[in-house]
Amino acid sequence: RGAVYKTTDAGATWTNISPFPAINISPAGFASSAVSYTDIIALDNNTVFVVGNMFTSANNRRIYKTIDGGASWIDISSNIDLLSSGNLNGILMHDANNGYVVVPGGVLYKTNNGGASWTMDLAPTANLFTALAFAPKTVPASVAMINRKLFVSGPNINGAPLMEYGNPSNINVNSTETVTSSCDNIGN
């Protein structure tokens, strides 16, 4: 919860590659604060994003990015604390530059410049979003993020446990999708 670990041997050993404390400097007056990481996404062995929250009265939400497998981290939180309040619950990146972060109240933050800046987008519900997924999960590199079908989900507090997100004129350009079971015990 307060650290990020990496394995290169299928989980036999783990190495702490946390951004904290190297770049996660506690804000003035909160010397003992630490980030509680809430989500992580790895695009490949080197490019990884993590989101977390410092539980202080100063918001202090954090998004970190590494492009060298965790040897160094960049704080890409930029203007996140200025947009609205609420903990950062999840992150989903289409590629190294384009992605989303979800917070309570039906709020999504979007970046199209690798986190240099974030814009706020509101869903038609005030649901507590905690998870995101693209469908299909992978697409050819030529497919732009605007053409990805995004699903957001969270506890069913306000009647929207799962929402499809995006402009239908953009996201319905993908070929027909077929959902198949990944279970090997069907019928047992």
Side-chain angles (χ1 to χ4, degrees):
R1 181 173 187 155
V4 177
Y5 291 90
K6 176 181 180 177
T7 184
T8 56
D9 56 13
T13 60
W14 293 86
T15 304
N16 186 334
I17 60 165
S18 300
F20 180 80
I23 62 174
N24 182 21
I25 308 302
S26 296
F30 302 98
S32 62
S33 294
V35 170
S36 176
Y37 297 106
T38 54
D39 201 9
I40 185 170
I41 184 167
L43 298 180
D44 55 43
N45 290 338
N46 292 309
T47 308
V48 180
F49 296 83
V50 296
V51 295
N53 305 284
M54 293 176 68
F55 296 100
T56 69
S57 61
N59 266 346
N60 295 303
R61 297 167 296 162
R62 295 287 185 259
I63 306 171
Y64 295 121
K65 173 184 177 180
T66 182
I67 56 173
D68 57 15
S72 63
W73 292 87
I74 304 161
D75 183 344
I76 60 167
S77 305
S78 61
N79 63 322
I80 282 285
D81 279 336
L82 302 175
L83 296 176
S84 73
S85 61
N87 295 333
L88 303 181
N89 292 334
I91 186 167
L92 182 63
M93 298 299 291
H94 167 71
D95 57 31
N97 291 312
N98 300 283
Y100 298 96
V101 171
V102 289
V103 301
V107 175
L108 293 114
Y109 298 135
K110 180 171 65 172
T111 186
N112 60 11
N113 56 17
S117 64
W118 296 86
T119 57
M120 183 171 61
D121 216 349
L122 298 173
T125 177
N127 197 32
L128 171 64
F129 293 138
T130 56
L132 308 96
F134 286 123
K137 184 176 180 179
T138 58
V139 294
S142 61
V143 175
M145 185 174 85
I146 194 169
N147 298 122
R148 298 292 304 270
K149 190 176 294 187
L150 174 69
F151 290 96
V152 292
S153 181
N156 189 5
I157 296 170
N158 294 315
L162 178 66
M163 288 187 58
E164 183 177 328
Y165 186 79
N167 181 333
S169 65
N170 292 330
I171 62 174
N172 290 332
V173 298
N174 296 333
S175 62
T176 303
E177 300 163 29
T178 304
V179 177
T180 58
S181 173
S182 62
C183 297
D184 59 4
N185 63 351
I186 294 177
N188 292 340

